[in-house]
Amino acid sequence: MAMDSCLTAIMRESMFKEQKFQKKWKDQERISKEAEDGPRPLPAITPKKSCQVNQLEQTMNMQGNPHVGYIKGRPHENPQAMLRYGVSRDGQGRAAYLEHEGRRDPKKRYGTQVTTTHEYGWTAQAATKTYTSSPFARRPLVRNQFYRPMGVSFSTGAL
């Protein structure tokens, strides 16, 4: 059934009235609940450190280095600490964090398939374990045999 602009406006107005009534009802419920229990306490706010304070703590060795005992390829117990400590240029900080997160299995990272491309990886896992390369694949044979520096053979040592 096709709707014209008049029916659309009526539908929109009725939806707006329902939302307005729902908001009014929730506000009344909240006010009555506060009257019974008293005002609800505010959640505790954890103070966040600025990057300047973080850097000062690192330079004064007040904060332990999470990269010291870390072995690449193994999961880290606190990846957020890796993110907040060090500089990417030194292979720490954001660079180490992204490398750590990139090594995680997508099944553990996302839990379920997020995109349609993930569907191929989820289903093709068993097929990739039995894969062998083609006998006609590129081999470094030609490069190693024909393009020798200074004309010296590596196998015999003669010109």
Side-chain angles (χ1 to χ4, degrees):
M1 171 171 107
M3 294 179 62
D4 59 355
S5 61
C6 185
L7 284 176
T8 305
I10 292 170
M11 182 69 81
R12 187 181 302 140
E13 182 67 27
S14 65
M15 288 169 53
F16 175 72
K17 286 180 181 179
E18 287 176 6
Q19 289 173 352
K20 186 176 175 183
F21 178 74
Q22 200 172 30
K23 183 179 177 190
K24 182 180 174 184
W25 183 76
K26 283 184 180 181
D27 287 343
Q28 287 175 352
E29 186 180 329
R30 182 182 50 82
I31 290 170
S32 65
K33 190 172 185 179
E34 282 181 3
E36 291 174 4
D37 302 336
R40 64 180 169 168
L42 295 173
I45 300 173
T46 57
K48 294 185 179 180
K49 291 185 204 174
S50 66
C51 62
Q52 291 87 358
V53 171
N54 221 1
Q55 185 206 11
L56 283 173
E57 287 182 357
Q58 289 174 20
T59 55
M60 297 171 71
N61 291 329
M62 294 173 63
Q63 190 177 30
N65 186 351
H67 300 282
V68 171
Y70 175 64
I71 300 170
K72 285 188 178 183
R74 293 191 181 165
H76 196 274
E77 64 273 357
N78 189 3
Q80 287 293 322
M82 291 175 62
L83 175 66
R84 307 220 183 287
Y85 192 93
V87 183
S88 291
R89 182 175 179 178
D90 299 334
Q92 297 177 348
R94 184 171 182 258
Y97 175 78
L98 290 176
E99 182 179 341
H100 176 266
E101 291 298 306
R103 292 181 182 271
R104 284 180 51 199
D105 188 28
K107 290 181 182 178
K108 291 179 184 173
R109 196 178 328 162
Y110 301 111
T112 60
Q113 303 164 2
V114 179
T115 63
T116 54
T117 310
H118 284 172
E119 189 175 334
Y120 297 116
W122 254 260
T123 57
Q125 193 76 334
T128 58
K129 292 185 191 258
T130 60
Y131 175 76
T132 58
S133 64
S134 169
F136 304 107
R138 292 186 182 211
R139 305 266 187 229
L141 177 72
V142 173
R143 185 186 59 202
N144 292 343
Q145 294 298 319
F146 293 124
Y147 301 109
R148 285 177 262 167
M150 304 298 286
V152 178
S153 172
F154 293 118
S155 58
T156 61
L159 292 175

